[in-house]
Amino acid sequence: MRVTFLTLFPQMFTGPFSSSIIKRACEKGLVEIETVNLRDFAQDRRRTVDDTPYGGGPGMVLKPEPVFDAVEAITRRKGKKPYIILTTPQGEVFRQSIAAELAAKEQLLIICGHYEGYDERIRTLADRELSIGDYVLTGGELPAMVMIDAAVRLLPGVLGDPAAAENDSFGSTGLLDYPQYTKPAVYKGMAVPEALLSGHHAQIAAWRKKQALLRTLKRRRDLLTQRPDRPDVDFTGEAGKNIPGFTRTDEE
Ligand SMILES: C[S@@+](CC[C@H](N)C(=O)[O-])C[C@H]1O[C@@H](n2cnc3c(N)ncnc32)[C@H](O)[C@@H]1O
């Protein structure tokens, strides 16, 4: 996976990609990350990339020429058109399944906006417009990093144990993760559930499955109602009453 960030602030990317799991993924060659400074494609001496909006109004708008020129130059250099993402609060809201789709792409180019937004014509460059949630940030750098962090950890070889990503919230089960405990077995009067201490694999798996379901039911019922893999279960009724093996006394 090769990722190019087109940005006005390349320095913002140094920290997050030079530590921990993502750093190791880069060192292992599982992902290649580069930044391209949009200002390098400005057409005047003052390296201007923005201008006032037609029709008036507050703020500045990213000009089309530097973005089009940058995308063209990057595509030429790569020898292949990258999959182009435009970061925008108006885009499709990012989620785990999109992270998996991005992880499968060979070449990604993420355009990080700034100011009041983009000249509308820039949108025609994008294969996909993505938002990281219903709030507005100052620029597209943090959203771009969030998306790539989520995608990189799904690449084979990035996490020590591939099962880790599958068990994560929104992973292969589509549920939130089950509660986790480590030593000591009792801390400040709070005991680790018996099932986890049993050493009995089937019992532990059953406990975890049930807890993941309960947690999802309680915190994110919307994830259950969206489960096309379980047309047999009506998750919409009164708390869990239709879910096999679940009783109200099981609630957290
Ligand atoms: C201040 S915002 C512009 C918001 C724009 N006026 C609007 O309301 O759609 C500047 C840039 O930050 C990025 N950005 C801000 N919030 C975002 C979000 N929730 N998801 C993705 N990108 C975002 C986009 O690249 C955007 O062009």
Side-chain angles (χ1 to χ4, degrees):
M1 180 184 184
R2 297 194 174 96
V3 189
T4 304
F5 298 101
L6 182 60
T7 170
L8 288 169
F9 302 97
Q11 68 278 13
M12 282 182 74
F13 292 82
T14 353
F17 293 126
S18 56
S19 42
S20 185
I21 292 171
I22 308 286
K23 179 187 176 194
R24 283 201 298 279
C26 294
E27 287 169 351
K28 283 195 212 165
L30 300 171
V31 59
E32 280 176 30
I33 285 166
E34 65 163 2
T35 52
V36 171
N37 193 332
L38 182 59
R39 268 193 212 287
D40 293 344
F41 296 87
Q43 296 175 337
D44 63 346
R45 275 220 206 129
R46 296 180 57 215
R47 302 185 11 116
T48 312
V49 292
D50 58 330
D51 211 332
T52 52
Y54 275 121
M60 301 293 274
V61 173
L62 269 183
K63 287 163 69 61
E65 307 95 312
V67 181
F68 273 79
D69 289 353
V71 168
E72 229 169 76
I74 293 163
T75 305
R76 213 178 310 119
R77 177 162 55 81
K78 300 270 176 203
K80 191 178 175 200
K81 192 195 146 319
Y83 188 76
I84 301 177
I85 293 165
L86 193 75
T87 54
T88 166
Q90 301 174 25
E92 184 184 354
V93 179
F94 189 71
R95 56 186 184 280
Q96 190 71 9
S97 59
I98 300 179
E101 281 181 56
L102 299 190
K105 303 281 180 205
E106 211 181 296
Q107 302 260 10
L108 283 171
L109 167 57
I110 310 196
I111 304 175
C112 306
H114 222 78
Y115 312 116
E116 268 312 296
Y118 307 98
D119 178 287
E120 192 62 18
R121 290 161 288 192
I122 292 172
R123 293 188 192 281
T124 62
L125 290 168
D127 292 302
R128 198 154 188 179
E129 298 189 19
L130 291 176
S131 161
I132 59 161
D134 293 346
Y135 42 83
V136 176
L137 299 159
T138 51
E141 285 75 15
L142 291 171
M145 286 187 250
V146 165
M147 291 174 204
I148 292 309
D149 187 297
V152 167
R153 66 192 296 287
L154 298 179
L155 291 173
V158 169
L159 298 180
D161 181 352
E166 276 174 41
N167 288 340
D168 275 337
S169 299
F170 322 111
S172 58
T173 63
L175 301 173
L176 298 182
D177 202 358
Y178 47 76
Q180 300 272 16
Y181 292 87
T182 184
K183 296 176 193 71
V186 181
Y187 181 67
K188 289 188 189 277
M190 294 178 279
V192 173
E194 277 298 316
L196 297 179
L197 304 172
S198 67
H200 191 286
H201 292 304
Q203 205 179 319
I204 293 169
W207 184 88
R208 287 180 164 165
K209 195 171 168 189
K210 189 168 184 175
Q211 293 303 319
L213 190 57
L214 285 170
R215 184 153 278 197
T216 312
L217 182 67
K218 183 149 191 186
R219 299 184 184 198
R220 291 293 305 276
R221 181 180 283 235
D222 58 303
L223 295 176
L224 295 170
T225 56
Q226 291 167 2
R227 290 191 64 182
D229 59 317
R230 297 302 304 271
D232 53 318
V233 182
D234 172 15
F235 292 107
T236 57
E238 190 201 344
K241 89 174 178 221
N242 298 319
I243 300 174
F246 174 75
T247 61
R248 289 301 296 268
T249 48
D250 288 324
E251 278 191 85
E252 286 176 303

